[in-house]
Structure formats: structure tokens, C-alpha cells
Amino acid sequence: MDLLESCKMAIATLTANKMRSGLTMLGIIIGNASVIAMIGIGQGAQQLASKEFQNLSPNTLFVVPGSREARNATFDLPKTLVLEDAKAIAKQVSSVIAVAPEINRRELISYRNKTTATQVTGVTPDHMIVRSFEVNQGRFINSIDLERNKRVVALGSEIANRFFKGQNPIGQQIRIKNISFEIIGVMAEKGSMLGTNQDDSVFIPLTTMAYQLVGKTSPYGIELTWINVAIKNEETIRAAKFQIENLLRLRHKIVDEDDFGVESPKQLLEIFYKITNGLTIMLASIAGISLLVGGIGVMNIMLVSVAERTQEIGLRKAIGAKEQDILAQFLIEAVIVSAAGGMIGIVLGVGSVYLIGAVSPLSATISPYAIVLALGVSSSIGLFFGVIPAQRAAKLDPIVALRSI
């Protein structure tokens, strides 16, 4: 029997039991769709992060609190940086253009009968320079606001649209944590950064944030969430990082592990890639378990098929079919079931990735490598799990098989 004839017979056998063939494919379909979707989502997250980091100048450094071990263990970073550290960096590191310390906290803000929870960021005037923000209406926080701890606020574009819907918000009062703040500006659209929507946030003077909202400081000064640092040019970043690290080690009297970290956007992006790659592999592996379950289902159904077709096998052997012909016939059926399920799963997986891309900020990214890999794995599973039923069919004694007629 040639290969083409075997394929025709396999397709005819499978289409004769459409319901059973469809249920057999189900595990393969779900497994392939899940693997494609997980890989697509992971790659989409990486592309989104790359786009977001393009908004940051390559001449930027981020000084973050806590040791590396502490940062890896929790999202709630220890407060080991203070405002005096930021001032020291600005004064003593020669290659620094501007320093923008931040205090971030999620709070309830309200205007009349509207209330929402959003990111409240305590900043200094240099925040505009370092983070490349622009004002759409009014003005940003200035040095006088900082010195006098004024209750003024600049709204992100989404917050302004949500509360005022085209009206001029300048001069209006909103409440942050039940404290009234005067709106002095509305920021231009900025987009997201590491999954945080920068347009869905508000900005107030850092000193006002520290003394009136956070309400606590360390014995060494105002505690910071992190410090943004703008460097003169890309060539001086390595030297600036070295100087900042040495300065903070001296200030913090560190003799062992640093209680801070100095990272560049490139390093943060590499860290994010490592995290997303790890998560993608883990989730794709979990999704791949359903491929294993699907393979077991293929083997089970093929064993049932061998039992049902004992007479057919006996007749074919009686008229001259060899063991390898019977083996090839059942292996081809198993591979066709798995490959067909794999292709359907790929279509569903690709569709789900595009659907997620349409309703979320993630880019719809499909890796051809992932598609080829998923199809190859699903076909291999059919071949692997089809061997035992095919061998059982090939080893049947034709005399014993014909007795059941």
C-alpha cells in the first residue's frame, strides 16, 4: 500500500466517526491554542515595554531603594532613599543635568460626586525635564509650590477628561484624601510606562505629598519612592552610575550589600524581558500539559479503534497486508488527528492573540517559530502516542482476528 492510499483510507475512517474524531482532537486543539496564546501575549508584553521605554531618554538613570534581594522579593520596596540623597546627587555628580525625586502613592481623589482611585505623585519642577513631560493647559509644579508646601495639583489627561469632559479645570478644586487641592495644570498625553498609565495620575509638590498626605518621614529626611536622574550624554552614563553608587554608599555608610540600586532604561528593559520570558515559558509549559492529555486521548481512542476494527485487520492480513502496512495505517490516522487538531488550535490561538491585542494595550504578536513548533509538537504527539495502538494492530494474529467474524 502506498502512502497516498493509506492517507485516503485514514481520512475516510476518521470522517466516518466525526464526533469521536472531534472529541479526540479537543485536547490537542486546546493545548495548541493555549501555547500560541501564551507565547503571543508574552511577546506582545515585550513589544509594549519596548515602545514604552522609547519614551524615556537613554541618558536617564533610576535610583531605586532596597537591596537587590529585597527588590526581587517584594513589590513593596523599603524606603532607604531620602530627599537629601537626591540633593547630594544633583550637587556632587558633575555629569548630572537634573534630578527628579518622586513619592508615589495610590489615593482616592474626588470632584463633586465623582470619585476615583489613582496614582498621586509627589514631584519637583525637574520632573518635567527628566521624564520628558509636557503641559497641555496651565502650568506644572514650580519651586515656590515646593517651598510653601502648596496644595496645588497638575492632572493627567485621562483624569482631566474623566472629571471635566472638555471643561476648563484650571482653578477648580479637587480633593485628595479629603484635602482640597487647586488645579493649576493639565498634562499632555504621555502613555503607559511598565504597565502604569501615566495619564491616569496627578502630580503635586513633593513636600506637600510628604508632610500632608504621607504624613511620615524617616529620621534622615523625606522618604522617596525613587530618584530619576538625567545625565548629560550617553557616553557619561557609566561614569555617572559609578559616581552615584559611591556617593550613596558613603552617605548610607554601607560596608556590605547596597541598600539601593542604580538602573538604566536598558537594564530595566532587560530585566523585564527576563521576567516575561520566564513567565511565558512557565505559562506555555502549563498550557502544554493539555497537549499531553490530548496525546493520551489520541492513544485511548486509537486503542478503541483497534478493538473495533479487529475483523478489518484480520481480513487485510489474510489477503496479504504486512505488519508494516497495518502499523503505517494506524500511525497515519493518529498523526492526521493530531495535526488537524494542531492546525485548528493554531487558528484559535492566533485569533485569541489578535482579540487580546484589539481590547488591550498589548501588541498582537505571532511568532512563526511558535506556530511551526506547536504544529510539530502536536504531530509528534500523535506519532508518539499512536505507536502502541498501531503496534497492537500490527501484531494481531489474522486467524484469531478472523474468528471474530
Side-chain angles (χ1 to χ4, degrees):
M1 250 180 110
D2 61 16
L3 181 62
L4 181 60
E5 188 65 26
S6 295
C7 289
K8 288 180 179 178
M9 288 187 63
I11 292 170
T13 302
L14 293 172
T15 53
N17 297 281
K18 294 184 180 67
M19 178 66 75
R20 186 167 71 183
S21 299
L23 292 174
T24 305
M25 293 179 188
L26 192 58
I28 304 294
I29 292 171
I30 294 172
N32 264 25
S34 301
V35 169
I36 293 293
M38 290 301 101
I39 293 175
I41 290 170
Q43 291 179 335
Q46 290 184 348
Q47 284 199 0
L48 178 63
S50 295
K51 289 179 182 177
E52 291 175 355
F53 272 102
Q54 286 174 2
N55 294 329
L56 288 175
S57 167
N59 307 332
T60 305
L61 289 174
F62 301 96
V63 186
V64 293
S67 64
R68 184 172 296 277
E69 182 180 348
R71 295 196 302 274
N72 291 336
T74 178
F75 287 106
D76 187 15
L77 297 177
K79 301 297 188 294
T80 57
L81 296 175
V82 293
L83 183 58
E84 292 304 316
D85 291 329
K87 291 179 179 179
I89 292 170
K91 185 176 181 180
Q92 299 182 39
V93 180
S94 58
S95 56
V96 167
I97 297 174
V99 176
E102 284 187 32
I103 303 175
N104 294 319
R105 192 154 176 167
R106 197 160 185 84
E107 298 286 359
L108 284 175
I109 69 171
S110 59
Y111 173 72
R112 295 180 179 174
N113 61 341
K114 299 175 182 177
T115 302
T116 189
T118 191
Q119 180 91 343
V120 179
T121 305
V123 296
T124 63
D126 283 342
H127 193 84
M128 290 270 289
I129 301 170
V130 180
R131 295 295 299 274
S132 303
F133 276 83
E134 294 181 1
V135 174
N136 188 37
Q137 286 179 268
R139 65 174 180 86
F140 194 61
I141 309 300
N142 61 29
S143 57
I144 296 175
D145 300 327
L146 210 64
E147 291 170 5
R148 298 180 180 177
N149 302 337
K150 295 183 71 173
R151 295 178 180 178
V152 292
V153 59
L155 304 182
S157 58
E158 284 194 17
I159 292 291
N161 290 334
R162 192 180 307 161
F163 281 178
F164 297 97
K165 292 184 180 178
Q167 299 176 7
N168 184 7
I170 306 301
Q172 300 290 332
Q173 298 281 328
I174 65 167
R175 298 184 69 82
I176 304 175
K177 203 177 177 181
N178 289 324
I179 300 174
S180 291
F181 282 76
E182 180 187 352
I183 300 171
I184 58 170
V186 176
M187 308 303 295
E189 290 186 9
K190 182 67 174 175
S192 297
M193 168 71 175
L194 286 178
T196 301
N197 187 352
Q198 298 177 99
D199 298 323
D200 188 17
S201 58
V202 300
F203 303 91
I204 66 174
L206 186 141
T207 50
T208 307
M209 180 79 169
Y211 297 129
Q212 300 185 37
L213 290 187
V214 176
K216 60 179 180 180
T217 59
S218 76
Y220 304 102
I222 296 173
E223 298 170 336
L224 303 176
T225 305
W226 64 66
I227 303 170
N228 307 282
V229 182
I231 310 301
K232 287 180 180 177
N233 52 60
E234 201 167 351
E235 288 73 25
T236 59
I237 279 190
R238 183 175 296 181
K241 180 179 178 181
F242 179 77
Q243 292 170 10
I244 291 170
E245 288 173 342
N246 283 341
L247 173 62
L248 293 181
R249 287 189 190 114
L250 288 172
R251 286 185 53 80
H252 295 190
K253 299 178 181 178
I254 291 173
V255 294
D256 194 5
E257 185 180 9
D258 291 343
D259 63 355
F260 63 91
V262 182
E263 310 287 353
S264 67
K266 184 177 179 181
Q267 288 175 312
L268 291 176
L269 187 59
E270 288 173 356
I271 292 169
F272 185 79
Y273 275 0
K274 287 180 182 178
I275 293 171
T276 52
N277 281 334
L279 288 174
T280 300
I281 292 170
M282 181 186 71
L283 293 174
S285 300
I286 293 170
I289 293 173
S290 59
L291 282 175
L292 178 64
V293 174
I296 295 170
V298 169
M299 182 173 66
N300 183 47
I301 294 300
M302 294 305 297
L303 287 171
V304 172
S305 180
V306 170
E308 289 179 347
R309 295 160 63 187
T310 302
Q311 297 174 5
E312 174 196 327
I313 296 166
L315 285 171
R316 290 179 63 186
K317 281 197 158 188
I319 61 176
K322 298 177 181 178
E323 283 191 7
Q324 57 262 36
D325 295 328
I326 305 298
L327 181 69
Q329 180 66 42
F330 280 87
L331 281 178
I332 288 170
E333 289 182 21
V335 170
I336 288 175
V337 168
S338 299
M343 286 188 284
I344 296 171
I346 287 169
V347 172
L348 292 176
V350 170
S352 64
V353 170
Y354 277 103
L355 179 62
I356 291 169
V359 300
S360 74
L362 294 179
S363 302
T365 305
I366 307 297
S367 169
Y369 171 76
I371 292 175
V372 172
L373 179 64
L375 185 58
V377 168
S378 60
S379 301
S380 301
I381 281 175
L383 186 63
F384 178 78
F385 284 97
V387 167
I388 294 175
Q391 285 181 334
R392 177 171 293 188
K395 296 292 184 183
L396 278 177
D397 188 331
I399 296 174
V400 175
L402 288 171
R403 281 177 182 170
S404 62
I405 298 177

